[in-house]
Amino acid sequence: GTTTTVRTGHTVSPHHDSVIVVDLPGLYDLHGTSPESQVATRFFNEREADGVDAIIVVVDATNLIRNLMLVGEVLAHRRPTVVVLNMMDLAGRQGIEIDIAAMARRLGTAVVPVVARTGEGLDRLRAAIDAAPSAAVTPPSDLPADTASLETLNAWAVAVADDVSNARRREDAVDHTTERLDRYLTH
């Protein structure tokens, strides 16, 4: 089913500061009509003036373009952001190569590859999250001014993916089983 719950947790940073973590529902864009998009958009709008120190966007490394559209929308909010490239092991098995440094330069934000299933990369992620609030915030210069235009945003996401990965050039990179399950379970 659809999960529209906002979860809140507490942790301590490496500097022993208290940290509140808010987990929003998984979504592909902030301008959609799905319940998940509405919950996340409402949260963003209500918290825009609040002291949100950083936004962490978890991206499926095997589905880069779809996820980069959400990243673009988040970057347009001009908040410190960390992009987490999850499922890097599966991307590697599919022959997908992503230049992490090029992606970080292209997006103007920290990009951290992880394999959440095994915990690989979590120390780098913690360090990036800890550094995010003091990072300069400048959205990519080529990010469309109108991130509500899905066509324009998709063109931007395709250009970024083409610049930093071989995912789109690999027609066999699509995990057809995952795609079928996604269509069924999220319909």
Side-chain angles (χ1 to χ4, degrees):
T2 302
T3 304
T4 57
T5 306
V6 175
R7 301 280 185 187
T8 303
H10 300 272
T11 188
V12 178
S13 77
H15 303 296
H16 307 292
D17 297 324
S18 179
V19 177
I20 299 171
V21 178
V22 180
D23 182 21
L24 298 174
L27 63 147
Y28 291 118
D29 64 79
L30 293 174
H31 293 93
T33 58
S34 71
E36 299 90 349
S37 293
Q38 292 174 359
V39 167
T41 300
R42 188 169 37 254
F43 180 86
F44 269 91
N45 291 340
E46 290 171 359
R47 303 284 192 232
E48 194 66 41
D50 289 354
V52 174
D53 293 320
I55 299 169
I56 294 38
V57 183
V58 180
V59 169
D60 174 352
T62 67
N63 209 342
L64 207 50
I65 293 169
R66 186 186 312 182
N67 287 260
L68 281 171
M69 292 175 66
L70 176 62
V71 169
E73 289 178 301
V74 169
L75 292 174
H77 281 266
R78 297 180 169 269
R79 297 293 214 178
T81 302
V82 175
V83 174
V84 181
L85 278 177
N86 193 20
M87 298 197 289
M88 290 297 291
D89 56 337
L90 185 56
R93 283 198 300 274
Q94 292 180 5
I96 297 172
E97 298 172 5
I98 301 172
D99 184 332
I100 304 301
M103 185 178 225
R105 282 190 305 274
R106 187 77 162 70
L107 298 177
T109 193
V111 176
V112 182
V114 301
V115 180
R117 185 179 49 77
T118 64
E120 183 182 333
L122 294 184
D123 288 339
R124 289 186 306 258
L125 176 56
R126 286 183 190 99
I129 291 170
D130 195 41
S134 59
V137 180
T138 306
S141 60
D142 64 336
L143 183 65
D146 180 13
T147 58
S149 167
L150 293 183
E151 185 177 316
T152 307
L153 194 56
N154 185 68
W156 175 81
V158 167
V160 172
D162 285 350
D163 284 351
V164 302
S165 78
N166 69 339
R168 208 164 73 101
R169 294 182 295 275
R170 291 193 39 84
E171 289 183 11
D172 62 339
V174 175
D175 182 345
H176 296 289
T177 303
T178 301
E179 286 293 316
R180 283 193 303 271
L181 285 171
D182 242 10
R183 275 195 302 274
Y184 176 76
L185 294 173
T186 61
H187 179 65

